[in-house]
Amino acid sequence: MDPKLGRMASSLLALLLLLEGGMFSASPPAGLERVFRHIELQQDAFVQTLKEWVAIESDSVQPTPRFRQELFRMMAVAADELRRLGASVDSVDMGSQQLPDGQSLPIPPIILAELGNDLKKPTVCFYGHLDVQPAAWGDGWLTDPYTLTEVDGKLYGRGATDNKGPVLAWINAVSTFQALEQDLPVNIKFILEGMEEAGSIALEELVQKEKDRFFSGVDYIVISDNLWVSRKRPAVTYGTRGNSYFTVEVKCRDQDFHSGTFGGILNEPMADLVALLGSLVDSSGRILIPGIYDHVASLTEEEKNMYKSIDLDLEEYRNSSQVKKFLFDTKEEILMHLWRFPSLSIHGIEGAFDEPGAKTVIPGRVTGKFSIRLVPHMNASVVEKQVKHHLEDVFSKRNSSNQMAVSMVLGLPPWIANINDSQYLAAKRAIRTVFGTDPDMIRDGSTIPVARIFQEIIGKSVMMLPLGAVDDGEHSQNEKINRWNYIEGSKLFAAFFLEIAKLHE
């Protein structure tokens, strides 16, 4: 195809997607007209850069030398991109990671970059990650996950929405001001890591170390690492749930038993464990651990009204989730139980026979795994005591001769921000400028520790400003970002720079 025709087709497709979304971008303010036009004209180049980044198999989950080399390559490419913007870049050596099998692998560097140090301007720090979840063409992908493929305006590829696309959208916004020789309205700092999908190894220690250096002049922190709850309407995220992850082990002995030889004459560990796990939550989803709801924040009328305005098509959500029926019938109930109430999920049993076939074994030792998503104002240490007391009480009533041990292996608190903070108001205004609508104000039911880390250590305003649509499929097969979201998201970040600058005029 002729390149000019290709660009025309891409632009037309972007317009059609805009119309399909039911939103028209408002006329941009005078200072943004050229910026938005430049982004539209450069969209094919921006997509090409995303393609080059997606092609790097920066998988941090599988601890192999090949993938670790790819991670180092990805961080080097990003550092070079930032240097081309004129940023000062420090790739911080994070040492090595010791694996359970005794293997040692180097941890990819964390990038700290700065662009501008005008004391009259506010400083915005952007966090992003460049590592991805595992992906393989034979695992349900319709295209090669590491070859960005556009189909009907959708850009398919691992990392397209999580999180390479949003990182590049921020870079696109910065580079546009430079290309037009316009003064960047704010000072910019970047913190980019390559181990987020593997638990952000060493990130918290670095943030603590750099608190009074790299982060000393930061006024606002922006994270763009989650999704809208709609395919059409943008969102701002102001809270996430925490997570307490537990194991409960029931042991008779280290060896398994033959059920024909021992069945009927001993307390079977699996029977004890099933009873313990069955005591945690009822069929309506209510957690049965005494006192677990005592510290959950009260629901205010203001908060309740926020759920009513959120754009969530419940029927579409149910169908896309391939769930026959949810536990709750209304949009408001669904959202509240995803975001602002705790939930308990049972994840699996270690030590049990789970292979095909019929093996008549009695496991000698089994370990159940479950987690509780925490919400304000729950405390992980209090929850740990409540869980242990409950399971000990249930176990004692069984009069079992087995041994039980309960451990909390992870205790991450929830995060919530003030939606009336000036940064959130600036983001709302930028969204109205680009999308012509007010955003959904949402929380995220999952746990994103980095938001809490920044808020607690640095003590500055933290906001999550997602770009991807609800159906982007992060972590899943056929992950994608819509071309429209990627390009309009680049405009959003540019508009956000101007709105933040206005706060300091």
Side-chain angles (χ1 to χ4, degrees):
M1 177 186 288
D2 184 289
K4 291 183 179 179
L5 291 176
R7 286 192 292 272
M8 290 173 61
S10 297
S11 301
L12 178 60
L13 185 56
L15 177 60
L16 290 173
L17 287 168
L18 180 65
L19 295 173
E20 181 186 289
M23 294 181 295
F24 293 88
S25 299
S27 297
L32 283 171
E33 284 181 357
R34 292 179 64 225
V35 170
F36 286 5
R37 181 61 179 158
H38 179 86
I39 291 172
E40 289 167 1
L41 291 173
Q42 292 297 311
Q43 62 176 287
D44 288 341
F46 293 156
V47 169
Q48 177 60 31
T49 304
L50 179 58
K51 184 173 185 175
E52 292 166 4
W53 283 31
V54 166
I56 301 174
E57 300 180 32
S58 51
D59 176 351
S60 64
V61 177
Q62 300 185 74
T64 67
R66 186 177 80 81
F67 285 127
R68 207 47 68 93
Q69 288 173 1
E70 286 288 271
L71 276 166
F72 272 78
R73 185 160 73 95
M74 183 69 255
M75 303 311 291
V77 167
D80 287 343
E81 189 74 32
L82 293 175
R83 290 189 184 98
R84 276 193 288 273
L85 292 178
S88 62
V89 178
D90 183 10
S91 294
V92 183
D93 183 352
M94 304 309 297
S96 60
Q97 175 188 14
Q98 299 299 317
L99 301 175
D101 63 1
Q103 183 185 191
S104 177
L105 287 174
I107 299 172
I110 292 178
I111 294 173
L112 301 178
E114 302 182 52
L115 186 61
N117 57 3
D118 188 337
L119 296 179
K120 296 178 182 178
K121 296 178 181 178
T123 299
V124 182
C125 180
F126 178 83
Y127 163 86
H129 69 89
L130 301 173
D131 58 318
V132 299
Q133 285 280 322
W137 199 343
D139 190 30
W141 281 79
L142 300 177
T143 59
D144 179 354
Y146 294 109
T147 300
L148 191 72
T149 304
E150 183 165 6
V151 180
D152 297 331
K154 298 175 173 62
L155 303 168
Y156 291 95
R158 177 57 91 216
T161 198
D162 183 21
N163 185 231
K164 295 177 181 180
V167 171
L168 277 172
W170 191 273
I171 291 173
N172 296 342
V174 174
S175 68
T176 295
F177 281 95
Q178 294 184 335
L180 296 173
E181 298 183 344
Q182 289 188 204
D183 186 40
L184 194 61
V186 295
N187 301 316
I188 300 286
K189 292 193 177 187
F190 291 86
I191 175 167
L192 304 177
E193 67 159 321
M195 292 294 285
E196 191 272 346
E197 303 292 3
S200 291
I201 297 171
L203 177 69
E204 186 167 359
E205 292 85 348
L206 179 68
V207 173
Q208 186 71 57
K209 181 181 176 182
E210 294 289 339
K211 175 184 176 182
D212 298 320
R213 289 184 292 189
F214 179 77
F215 294 105
S216 62
V218 169
D219 298 297
Y220 309 98
I221 297 169
V222 177
I223 302 166
S224 186
D225 189 25
N226 61 322
L227 303 176
W228 303 347
V229 294
S230 167
R231 289 192 301 171
K232 301 176 291 186
R233 189 175 179 184
V236 177
T237 305
Y238 66 94
T240 63
R241 292 195 289 190
N243 191 11
S244 289
Y245 198 102
F246 292 89
T247 63
V248 52
E249 179 190 80
V250 181
K251 177 183 176 181
C252 180
R253 69 177 191 182
D254 289 328
Q255 287 179 285
D256 292 342
F257 298 89
H258 189 298
S259 65
T261 306
F262 290 93
I265 65 169
L266 51 75
N267 295 118
E268 296 189 10
M270 181 68 89
D272 284 342
L273 181 60
V274 169
L276 291 168
L277 295 177
S279 75
L280 296 172
V281 63
D282 67 18
S283 60
S284 68
R286 184 166 181 81
I287 302 172
L288 300 176
I289 299 166
I292 201 74
Y293 292 96
D294 288 355
H295 296 100
V296 175
S298 300
L299 178 65
T300 65
E301 283 300 315
E302 180 185 10
E303 183 189 345
K304 192 184 297 184
N305 290 332
M306 285 175 60
Y307 294 111
K308 294 178 181 178
S309 65
I310 289 174
D311 179 24
L312 178 68
D313 185 323
L314 204 54
E315 189 64 20
E316 179 184 300
Y317 182 55
R318 186 185 62 79
N319 290 335
S320 65
S321 304
Q322 298 181 332
V323 174
K324 185 175 181 181
K325 189 179 187 302
F326 288 124
L327 292 175
F328 306 97
D329 297 322
T330 67
K331 173 184 70 174
E332 291 78 12
E333 288 177 306
I334 292 287
L335 293 175
M336 284 191 283
H337 283 86
L338 279 175
W339 297 344
R340 63 104 54 229
F341 290 125
S343 64
L344 189 149
S345 301
I346 297 171
H347 305 298
I349 296 176
E350 187 179 319
F353 174 63
D354 64 347
E355 301 294 330
K359 184 179 180 182
T360 56
V361 67
I362 298 172
R365 175 169 60 179
V366 286
T367 303
K369 301 177 181 183
F370 65 94
S371 68
I372 299 173
R373 294 288 177 174
L374 308 179
V375 297
H377 302 285
M378 296 173 76
N379 180 285
S381 61
V382 172
V383 169
E384 180 182 17
K385 292 175 184 176
Q386 292 169 332
V387 168
K388 287 183 175 180
H389 184 271
H390 169 73
L391 289 176
E392 287 165 357
D393 184 55
V394 172
F395 189 69
S396 67
K397 292 176 180 176
R398 289 183 61 80
N399 296 315
S400 174
S401 60
N402 294 322
Q403 297 172 298
M404 183 195 73
V406 183
S407 297
M408 186 177 77
V409 297
L410 189 70
L412 299 172
W415 165 73
I416 194 163
N418 177 11
I419 61 172
N420 294 316
D421 181 272
S422 58
Q423 177 175 212
Y424 283 79
L425 301 179
K428 284 183 178 180
R429 289 193 292 269
I431 286 171
R432 286 190 209 108
T433 296
V434 176
F435 296 99
T437 185
D438 284 321
D440 285 326
M441 301 301 295
I442 67 173
R443 299 196 204 181
D444 195 310
S446 59
T447 302
I448 305 175
V450 68
R452 176 195 57 82
I453 288 172
F454 286 133
Q455 189 160 291
E456 288 186 358
I457 295 177
I458 302 172
K460 298 293 184 178
S461 172
V462 178
M463 179 182 67
M464 299 187 72
L465 189 57
L467 300 187
V470 69
D471 61 350
D472 275 1
E474 57 181 355
H475 290 203
S476 185
Q477 296 92 338
N478 305 307
E479 176 186 346
K480 59 87 179 169
I481 191 169
N482 299 327
R483 174 187 279 258
W484 182 75
N485 289 72
Y486 178 45
I487 299 307
E488 297 302 300
S490 301
K491 294 180 186 178
L492 172 60
F493 288 148
F496 176 70
F497 297 162
L498 280 176
E499 292 295 343
I500 285 291
K502 289 178 185 176
L503 297 175
H504 293 254
E505 287 179 350

